[in-house]
Amino acid sequence: MTKKHLNNLFFLISLLLCGLTCLAQNKTDNSILLTDLLVQLETEYNVKFSYADKDVSSIRLTKPNYDTLEPTLEHIRTTTALTIVKLNNRYYSLTNTSTISICGYVLDNFEENTIPGATVEIFESNLASITNTNGEFNFENVPKNSLVHFKHIGYKPLFIEAKEFANTADCKKIAMALSYQELDEVVVSQFLTTGLNQLKDASIELNIEKFGILPGVSEPDVLQTVQALPGIKSVDETVSDINIRGGTNDQNLILWDGIKMYQTGHFFGLISAFNPYVTNNVNVIKNGTSALYGDGLSGTIAMQTSNNIPLKIKGSAGFNLISGDIFGHIPIQENMAIQISARRSYTDFLNTPTYTTFSDKAFQDSEVDQESEFYFYDFTAKLIYEINPYHQLLVSLINMSNNLNYLENIEGNSTPNRSNLNQDNSSIGAQFKSEWTDIFTTDLHFYYTQYGLDAVTVTNNESQELNQNNLVKESSIKLITNYKAIESLDWINGYELTETGIENRTNINQPPFASNIKGVIRKHALFTELKYTSENSKFYAILGGRLNYFENVNTFKEYIFEPRINLSYELFSNFKTQLLGEFKSQATNQIIDLEQNFLGIEKRRWILSDGDALPITKSKQGSIGFNYDTDTFYLGVEGFYKKVDGINVYTQGFQNQNQFDGEIGSYAVKGLEFLINTKNNDYSAWLSYTYNKNDYTFDALIPASFPNNLDIRHSITLAGNYTIGNLKLGFGLNYKSGKPYTQPNDSEPVNNSVFPNEINYESSNSNRLPEYIRADVSATYTIKFSDKLKGTLGASILNFTNRKNTLNTYYRLQDDNSIETVERVSLGFTPNASFRISF
């Protein structure tokens, strides 16, 4: 018999059985659908019944044989467990009040650990309870159609229909998914734009997801954005040379997911090397730094990517006139997710107006025909693994690269001069966060970072070749413990070990010269800190310190103690005062040498302190500030004093008679920062002013004291943004007084009494460049395609008036004893445009 015949046979048998069953029911069953019965009663007795279809549609009952309404209704009550309420002489309501008993065990999503203290609520009733020490719960008289809600800190909320419990003979196991979240600090004020907040410890937090708009910035470039804050500027318009309160860029501690970064910029330092759409938030600290951080004499910029596991895939992709990028935040399972991003410029095969302006600025020193090919890329990845409710593992990876090929066509040379530059940074870090008890947690960090710079310059018809190499390798491990002594007091302790190795090589074939300098420094640090918040939240205090032990095996050993203080008190409503202070030290610096070379970027090479020619650099800083803040108005003023000892002229970028002296000295900054900001939901307008008096002291030089190369005495910003629906507009005007420089002596510009001849300079930094003025504008427009998909169009113009601002002036002595004046000017009219899709 074939399969087809069997199917036909089964069909006939089923049909026969169905017919017999239906026939038997017709003979013996006197049932009726409740909905049909109610219709009959409404017609016969002129009444109306109100009910929910889901409560009665599937109910059958024995057909009653009563002659009056009330006995029939009582029959319905007893056979269906429905509640029937007489509303008036004609109307009745029917509700399903069938109940069940439920019980269960609440477990984590691995079904290994019970969860005591989980809240269990029964919707549509007043029933609620918490699980016992075994994670167990039970309820009586639970409405069968209700929802059971499970919730607990550290877990995602869960909803289950009560009727699912009726289908199990044993108590049901409920598995809750982990939801590990790090709580943000309390915000003191939000100012300038959305997503830019001042925290109660006086640091500034930039939340990228909530970021609004700033003048000249249509996309949230991290290191461009922080320059909108008072006291943070760049004297040469780059993100790779940020000056915080008069300090050099190498005195900034730049952290990405806790990893110290030795490369911060792309494209000659004009673009941040950190993809802003990967970065979740940025914390900027100018003073009062936590004892958890070492280095960073001038300031700390700590970038953090998200530590959360999303419920579904999130991401974005976009492009501007320089590069394109893509980012994804992808859940792998309930307790694991990854983040991936990639960005690359297309400047090596596509010229845009933005690229042209950037190139003009980078190569403006060259007076000959030149050709360049440049591109950059960066890549990041992160693993988020929630091992259980109390332990989380984070692993972060970042790789970035700049690549430049440069040709100079020199008259009289058959072969052009060529230069190649490769700048790479690769880093990996891990963080293991543990909550051992309700009052004791630990945080274990580890990272390894490697930075390399390789520059080759071939000149004089390829007869002379110069090779420069700078290699930095650093590894670090840090353990942080947090003990909550009482609800308002945290006691933080820890240990950090950092080993930094730096190598500098220089090789020239004609005349023959070779140099290879290597060094390794190990730093051990013990730190402790007390963090206190009063019950009324008016007083906030952080008191702590670090004990550092620096060890350079071949040269020196040194102990340095660094106290830290951070106090805030609300004198009266909305008005607070802050007192901040810190001591810091660091053993890494950037020297600026070979000033005549083709680019600025390769001149900066990392070196280690040796205890002699370059001692460990130390700083001390104190400040006091006041701020008044309401929902629509912010006024803040802060005065500070900072002194930095142990600097070398090689690290300061001198371009005068002190360029090659190698003297050790110090600088001191006295400053005032002022900010007034008025804001509401539609607009924000602000005026900021910074005053700095920044002076060097080098006892071996004449004169011993003179203005710092970064002495920008006055800085003013007037800016605002406005939101009209989905359109955001930003406009800003920036003013800075001119930086100091040194001119040749008018009466005797060249010293012919030495060989080779030298320029005779006037007193160091006795002249000032003209003031700097720049106007910027930006706009973004958001298009909502659906609830999950949106697009953002952006446009910006830096220096839309195309004003020529002089950033630096220095001098070169030519072979004929004439003096060449070299002026570096600012970016001209610089447009940019972007488009981004987010989902």
Side-chain angles (χ1 to χ4, degrees):
M1 186 176 289
T2 65
K3 184 176 181 181
K4 181 178 180 181
H5 290 134
L6 283 172
N7 290 337
N8 291 335
L9 180 60
F10 288 146
F11 175 77
L12 291 172
I13 293 172
S14 300
L15 187 61
L16 178 60
L17 291 173
C18 179
L20 292 173
T21 303
C22 294
L23 185 61
Q25 285 180 347
N26 288 335
K27 288 182 178 181
T28 61
D29 189 7
N30 192 28
S31 66
I32 186 174
L33 281 171
L34 178 58
T35 51
D36 294 340
L37 177 59
L38 294 176
V39 172
Q40 293 178 15
L41 295 175
E42 285 179 342
T43 303
E44 186 174 352
Y45 297 104
N46 192 26
V47 294
K48 287 290 183 181
F49 295 99
S50 174
Y51 53 84
D53 288 340
K54 65 177 182 177
D55 290 343
V56 302
S57 59
S58 61
I59 298 178
R60 296 186 71 91
L61 73 164
T62 304
K63 187 175 182 178
N65 54 5
Y66 302 105
D67 296 327
T68 59
L69 178 62
E70 284 304 322
T72 304
L73 295 180
E74 185 61 28
H75 173 73
I76 296 173
R77 289 190 186 98
T78 56
T79 57
T80 65
L82 289 172
T83 299
I84 302 176
V85 177
K86 184 177 181 179
L87 302 177
N88 54 39
N89 291 332
R90 189 181 180 200
Y91 288 91
Y92 293 81
S93 70
L94 283 74
T95 56
N96 190 343
T97 57
S98 59
T99 61
I100 59 174
S101 298
I102 67 172
C103 66
Y105 297 89
V106 179
L107 311 171
D108 66 24
N109 58 345
F110 293 101
E111 297 190 6
E112 294 176 347
N113 303 309
T114 59
I115 304 177
T119 301
V120 186
E121 297 178 341
I122 312 299
F123 280 16
E124 302 173 358
S125 77
N126 59 357
L127 299 174
S129 181
I130 60 173
T131 57
N132 62 19
T133 54
N134 297 320
E136 184 181 7
F137 68 93
N138 59 77
F139 292 94
E140 301 290 337
N141 300 319
V142 176
K144 190 174 182 179
N145 293 329
S146 63
L147 280 176
V148 186
H149 180 206
F150 300 87
K151 59 183 179 180
H152 190 279
I153 295 175
Y155 295 86
K156 298 172 184 175
L158 184 64
F159 297 88
I160 298 178
E161 291 183 348
K163 62 184 178 183
E164 291 187 22
F165 290 84
N167 300 326
T168 58
D170 300 322
C171 290
K172 188 177 180 66
K173 292 182 178 180
I174 309 299
M176 296 188 70
L178 297 164
S179 177
Y180 198 106
Q181 292 188 349
E182 185 174 346
L183 297 177
D184 294 329
E185 289 203 58
V186 177
V187 173
V188 171
S189 63
Q190 176 173 293
F191 56 96
L192 305 192
T193 188
T194 55
L196 201 57
N197 308 312
Q198 185 180 44
L199 304 182
K200 60 183 179 181
D201 63 358
S203 65
I204 305 297
E205 180 192 58
L206 168 62
N207 187 310
I208 299 296
E209 248 184 58
K210 300 177 182 178
F211 180 74
I213 191 171
L214 288 173
V217 183
S218 61
E219 294 184 289
D221 186 296
V222 172
L223 299 183
Q224 286 281 9
T225 301
V226 299
Q227 295 182 46
L229 303 173
I232 304 179
K233 299 295 177 186
S234 174
V235 296
D236 61 1
E237 291 186 329
T238 68
V239 298
S240 59
D241 191 11
I242 293 177
N243 315 117
I244 300 179
R245 289 185 171 175
T248 53
N249 183 75
D250 59 334
Q251 294 172 357
N252 299 328
L253 175 63
I254 310 292
L255 297 172
W256 184 85
D257 272 359
I259 305 169
K260 183 177 179 180
M261 306 305 298
Y262 285 89
Q263 178 184 346
T264 59
H266 284 319
F267 209 151
F268 322 117
L270 294 169
I271 297 172
S272 169
F274 309 102
N275 190 330
Y277 299 101
V278 179
T279 309
N280 189 48
N281 61 67
V282 184
N283 196 239
V284 182
I285 308 170
K286 293 184 284 187
N287 191 15
T289 312
S290 168
L292 276 63
Y293 298 117
D295 294 345
L297 304 184
S298 287
T300 299
I301 301 176
M303 291 166 278
Q304 183 66 51
T305 59
S306 175
N307 293 338
N308 297 327
I309 296 177
L311 295 175
K312 53 190 175 182
I313 295 177
K314 296 170 56 180
S316 62
F319 63 89
N320 54 38
L321 297 186
I322 294 293
S323 63
D325 77 283
I326 188 168
F327 162 68
H329 194 173
I330 307 164
I332 300 175
Q333 54 190 42
E334 289 184 337
N335 67 326
M336 185 181 295
I338 59 170
Q339 295 174 26
I340 298 177
S341 79
R343 177 173 57 163
R344 191 193 189 278
S345 68
Y346 28 78
T347 51
D348 51 334
F349 58 85
L350 179 65
N351 284 334
T352 65
T354 311
Y355 174 68
T356 300
T357 307
F358 284 2
S359 297
D360 290 343
K361 180 178 185 296
F363 301 114
Q364 61 185 277
D365 285 359
S366 178
E367 297 180 353
V368 296
D369 293 336
Q370 48 86 16
E371 300 175 17
S372 64
E373 182 182 276
F374 174 83
Y375 71 92
F376 68 81
Y377 65 84
D378 54 65
F379 169 82
T380 70
K382 184 172 184 176
L383 172 69
I384 306 166
Y385 177 38
E386 296 176 347
I387 302 170
N388 57 44
Y390 310 106
H391 302 283
Q392 184 187 43
L393 176 65
L394 308 167
V395 180
S396 302
L397 172 71
I398 185 169
N399 178 260
M400 59 185 74
S401 181
N402 284 288
N403 298 273
L404 171 69
N405 297 316
Y406 179 78
L407 296 177
E408 282 184 320
N409 297 303
I410 307 296
E411 185 178 351
N413 285 4
S414 59
T415 305
N417 295 342
R418 57 186 173 87
S419 299
N420 305 96
L421 172 69
N422 295 307
Q423 191 181 24
D424 301 283
N425 193 106
S426 299
S427 306
I428 186 170
Q431 185 179 4
F432 184 60
K433 304 170 73 172
S434 300
E435 182 182 348
W436 302 103
T437 68
D438 291 340
I439 61 173
F440 184 73
T441 61
T442 62
D443 201 346
L444 180 64
H445 292 252
F446 165 79
Y447 72 79
Y448 173 80
T449 187
Q450 179 172 309
Y451 165 79
L453 182 147
D454 297 296
V456 179
T457 304
V458 181
T459 57
N460 298 329
N461 290 321
E462 298 194 351
S463 63
Q464 185 180 63
E465 182 173 324
L466 166 65
N467 289 272
Q468 299 175 81
N469 308 95
N470 184 208
L471 179 63
V472 180
K473 295 182 179 181
E474 181 170 289
S475 56
S476 175
I477 186 168
K478 177 163 65 174
L479 175 65
I480 304 169
T481 68
N482 189 342
Y483 173 68
K484 186 173 284 293
I486 55 176
E487 184 62 28
S488 58
L489 181 65
D490 288 59
W491 185 23
I492 301 169
N493 294 280
Y495 166 75
E496 181 178 14
L497 170 62
T498 304
E499 181 177 276
T500 307
I502 296 181
E503 178 182 10
N504 274 288
R505 287 184 293 153
T506 302
N507 287 282
I508 305 176
N509 62 343
Q510 289 186 7
F513 174 80
S515 171
N516 190 3
I517 302 172
K518 297 180 180 180
V520 176
I521 284 184
R522 294 184 186 90
K523 181 177 73 173
H524 303 262
L526 292 171
F527 53 87
T528 186
E529 185 173 273
L530 290 172
K531 186 181 294 186
Y532 173 77
T533 304
S534 64
E535 290 185 8
N536 58 10
S537 297
K538 288 189 173 184
F539 180 62
Y540 177 78
I542 301 177
L543 298 173
R546 289 174 66 93
L547 178 61
N548 300 313
Y549 174 62
F550 292 90
E551 179 185 18
N552 187 324
V553 178
N554 300 321
T555 56
F556 71 94
K557 299 177 182 179
E558 186 173 352
Y559 287 93
I560 299 175
F561 177 64
E562 301 172 357
R564 311 282 174 86
I565 184 172
N566 189 319
L567 304 177
S568 173
Y569 184 71
E570 185 175 356
L571 297 173
F572 50 86
S573 180
N574 300 321
F575 185 80
K576 291 189 176 183
T577 180
Q578 293 170 324
L579 177 65
L580 311 174
E582 64 183 25
F583 281 56
K584 284 187 173 182
S585 60
Q586 69 179 56
T588 54
N589 298 271
Q590 278 184 319
I591 58 172
I592 306 172
D593 57 1
L594 301 174
E595 193 62 52
Q596 303 293 331
N597 215 7
F598 75 97
L599 282 177
I601 193 168
E602 85 287 359
K603 299 171 191 172
R604 299 179 181 272
R605 299 195 289 175
W606 289 98
I607 61 171
L608 286 172
S609 298
D610 58 13
D612 182 22
L614 184 61
I616 292 176
T617 315
K618 303 170 186 175
S619 73
K620 52 188 175 184
Q621 181 179 186
S623 63
I624 185 169
F626 302 89
N627 66 71
Y628 176 77
D629 175 60
T630 67
D631 292 337
T632 59
F633 183 78
Y634 176 88
L635 175 65
V637 61
E638 184 174 9
F640 70 91
Y641 174 81
K642 179 172 69 176
K643 190 172 189 297
V644 178
D645 295 300
I647 62 171
N648 187 302
V649 294
Y650 291 144
T651 67
Q652 299 301 302
F654 281 103
Q655 293 173 300
N656 54 23
Q657 65 268 41
N658 301 320
Q659 183 173 350
F660 305 108
D661 288 348
E663 302 294 344
I664 304 298
S666 64
Y667 71 86
V669 188
K670 301 173 184 176
L672 179 73
E673 296 168 1
F674 170 82
L675 174 66
I676 184 170
N677 178 209
T678 178
K679 58 206 171 177
N680 63 19
N681 292 331
D682 298 326
Y683 78 91
S684 176
W686 65 93
L687 171 69
S688 69
Y689 168 72
T690 302
Y691 170 80
N692 279 353
K693 189 177 186 305
N694 192 348
D695 292 319
Y696 286 124
T697 299
F698 289 94
D699 293 334
L701 300 180
I702 299 175
S705 295
F706 51 91
N708 192 302
N709 294 333
L710 304 176
D711 179 40
I712 305 298
R713 198 62 57 90
H714 306 281
S715 298
I716 301 174
T717 297
L718 176 62
N721 56 55
Y722 189 73
T723 301
I724 311 171
N726 294 328
L727 177 66
K728 296 178 181 179
L729 303 172
F731 171 83
L733 183 65
N734 298 282
Y735 167 88
K736 293 186 292 188
S737 56
K739 69 184 289 286
Y741 75 107
T742 310
Q743 287 184 340
N745 187 289
D746 288 336
S747 59
E748 190 178 350
V750 179
N751 183 2
N752 298 311
S753 62
V754 296
F755 182 82
N757 295 344
E758 296 178 349
I759 298 176
N760 261 339
Y761 286 98
E762 294 181 354
S763 181
S764 295
N765 287 349
S766 55
N767 305 96
R768 292 269 175 178
L769 295 174
E771 68 274 2
Y772 174 102
I773 301 175
R774 193 182 80 188
D776 307 323
V777 65
S778 57
T780 63
Y781 184 78
T782 302
I783 308 168
K784 191 172 183 181
F785 299 110
S786 68
D787 291 339
K788 299 179 180 179
L789 185 67
K790 72 173 183 178
T792 303
L793 287 164
S796 64
I797 302 175
L798 292 170
N799 193 12
F800 69 79
T801 63
N802 201 28
R803 175 186 167 89
K804 180 181 177 181
N805 291 299
T806 303
L807 300 177
N808 192 21
T809 298
Y810 64 97
Y811 302 90
R812 297 170 176 166
L813 186 62
Q814 303 299 305
D815 293 338
D816 60 357
N817 261 11
S818 64
I819 297 177
E820 176 192 6
T821 301
V822 181
E823 273 194 352
R824 294 194 62 83
V825 297
S826 63
L827 286 168
F829 181 89
T830 309
N832 203 350
S834 62
F835 177 69
R836 188 159 205 88
I837 291 288
S838 302
F839 54 89

